[in-house]
Amino acid sequence: MRITCITVYQVDLPLEHPYWLSGGRLKFEVLDATFVRIDTDEGLVGWGEGTPWGHTYVPAHGPGIRAGIQTMAPFVMGLDPRCVLDVERAMDRALPGHLYAKSPIDMACWDIAGQAAGLPIADLMGGGSRTPRPIASSVGAKSVEETRDMIERYRARGYIAHSVKIGGDVARDIARIRDVESLRRDGEIVLYDVNRGWTRAQALQVMSATQDLQVMFEQPCETLDDIAAIAGKHAAPVSVDETLVTLQDATRIARDGIAEIFGIKLNRVGGLTKAARMRDVALAHGIDMFVMATGGSVLADTEALHLAATIPDANCHAVWACQDMITAEIAGGRGPRNIDGHLHLPEEPGLGVHPDEDALGDPVAVYR
Ligand code: MG
């Protein structure tokens, strides 16, 4: 089987509500999504998506995905999409780095490989758990009262996992954590996501002031060096998200004991092929995981769900899905959707959901 054509679409995905990153320092209203259709000489068609969370969140750029695909397309054309390692190596040779540009092609290849094998991607990767995965909400950086209201709204939709964005004013962060914890229900998973918003000193201030609560923090500081520097000075479990990009990051975090949890975002790390290695490093070192879409439509959510399903239930805290935050619908309601705050693995071969091409508009590029 050979790749014969790569078709690229650009779609704006508006967020239902403007979203402020931790500290209120960045506002997001529309996500720049790239959808990729890969055609093969045997008639199978695979779909991928790359939707960064804006271009100010991490080094990932919507237009950069499309430019990257233009550069890489000649190198992957003609390859067998079922041989995902061949495709991965061809992309890495053609364009070192730029992992976010590679993930939609990787995803489309896994979609085709699954269809060819007659298996959902998770099963093709070695076996997918059918235990529904809790979806983590995204509770923007707001006041104590707004935080409380937003969590209530998610609870009404069945959510039991929440990613509460903190990382602004230290006193307000402590107040918000204390308030959320005072109202936390049995079985609820709450991750306090700092999104790099604290200095080392601020991180230690909040962590020591909330030590009695034993809460989880995500990406407390800007760099892995910062998180490593405070690791021995607090007792809180830490998840690394934005600075877990490469396999070398994963092995360093594991070896040096920098974090207890990996936050794996598929687009940031370059797709399922690369993310599967991070999963294995995590499992080999007693590190649990959150698996996340970086943003985007039900396609990106479904990709994250497939990886999450290959993690033992006990080691996968939740998935983060973006579908409840965007107003655009590109798949006619198909694919895994929020059911009581959980996503269920699709049983169809491959990814399990394809977009309506009518909803994507005209292609912005076609490579043959
Ligand atoms: Mg995060």
Side-chain angles (χ1 to χ4, degrees):
M1 189 188 302
R2 302 287 162 212
I3 295 173
T4 54
C5 185
I6 300 173
T7 309
V8 182
Y9 299 86
Q10 190 278 328
V11 181
D12 283 337
L13 302 178
L15 295 174
E16 187 178 4
H17 305 288
Y19 180 88
W20 279 269
L21 201 63
S22 300
R25 65 196 193 277
L26 295 172
K27 185 182 181 185
F28 301 91
E29 292 177 292
V30 177
L31 305 180
D32 178 345
T34 300
F35 293 93
V36 175
R37 172 185 163 130
I38 291 185
D39 282 77
T40 63
D41 61 352
E42 295 187 17
L44 286 180
V45 172
W47 281 91
E49 173 179 3
T51 307
W53 190 253
H55 54 262
T56 49
Y57 168 57
V58 292
H61 188 217
I65 292 180
R66 297 181 294 274
I69 292 170
Q70 181 179 14
T71 299
M72 294 184 289
F75 295 85
V76 301
M77 201 64 64
L79 296 181
D80 186 334
R82 297 168 300 182
C83 300
V84 292
L85 297 177
D86 290 347
V87 175
E88 180 197 30
R89 287 168 195 150
M91 290 194 287
D92 285 343
R93 270 198 307 275
L95 185 69
H98 300 274
L99 301 175
Y100 61 95
K102 296 166 180 171
S103 77
I105 293 177
D106 175 81
M107 180 174 165
C109 289
W110 276 102
D111 183 21
I112 292 168
Q115 293 174 57
L119 294 171
I121 289 173
D123 287 345
L124 184 64
M125 294 178 85
S129 167
R130 264 56 178 178
T131 306
R133 295 296 183 218
I135 311 173
S137 70
S138 252
V139 179
K142 305 245 173 110
S143 67
V144 167
E145 294 72 26
E146 287 167 315
T147 303
R148 200 185 271 205
D149 291 347
M150 205 179 293
I151 290 177
E152 270 311 319
R153 286 204 296 276
Y154 276 112
R155 279 181 181 143
R157 286 188 273 164
Y159 280 69
I160 61 160
H162 306 283
S163 175
V164 177
K165 308 304 171 187
I166 56 172
D169 175 79
V170 162
R172 193 181 61 155
D173 287 341
I174 295 168
R176 289 176 68 215
I177 293 169
R178 290 219 162 265
D179 191 67
V180 170
E181 290 299 313
S182 73
L183 298 166
R184 183 173 184 159
R185 296 179 181 173
D186 276 354
E188 268 185 337
I189 302 157
V190 181
L191 178 69
Y192 293 93
D193 189 353
V194 189
N195 286 127
R196 323 190 294 275
W198 289 331
T199 62
R200 298 180 188 189
Q202 288 172 325
L204 290 172
Q205 264 180 288
V206 180
M207 287 166 160
S208 70
T210 57
Q211 199 173 342
D212 56 308
L213 301 171
Q214 295 187 309
V215 298
M216 263 186 293
F217 294 96
E218 187 163 82
Q219 196 68 39
C221 304
E222 185 74 30
T223 68
L224 277 187
D225 286 337
D226 297 331
I227 299 172
I230 62 169
K233 299 178 180 171
H234 65 83
V238 165
S239 168
V240 170
D241 177 357
E242 288 99 304
T243 52
L244 172 61
V245 180
T246 66
L247 187 62
Q248 290 79 5
D249 294 331
T251 53
R252 178 187 168 197
I253 294 164
R255 182 194 61 217
D256 294 350
I258 295 172
E260 289 69 36
I261 303 147
F262 281 1
I264 301 178
K265 283 201 171 80
L266 272 299
N267 180 254
R268 183 186 66 233
V269 306
L272 288 163
T273 305
K274 293 181 189 297
R277 299 189 188 106
M278 290 183 175
R279 171 204 59 202
D280 293 341
V281 169
L283 291 174
H285 291 86
I287 291 171
D288 289 340
M289 284 161 270
F290 284 87
V291 181
M292 298 169 277
T294 309
S297 78
V298 66
L299 267 71
D301 294 345
T302 306
E303 181 193 29
L305 179 60
H306 279 289
L307 182 73
T310 69
I311 298 168
D313 296 348
N315 303 105
C316 183
H317 288 299
V319 297
W320 181 72
C322 190
Q323 55 180 271
D324 281 356
M325 298 177 72
I326 59 169
T327 56
E329 175 54 62
I330 56 97
R334 298 184 306 278
R337 303 288 169 154
N338 170 25
I339 299 174
D340 265 345
H342 291 72
L343 292 180
H344 296 247
L345 193 72
E347 294 297 338
E348 294 89 344
L351 186 66
V353 58
H354 283 179
D356 291 322
E357 282 189 80
D358 290 349
L360 304 181
D362 293 329
V364 294
V366 181
Y367 305 101
R368 292 178 208 282

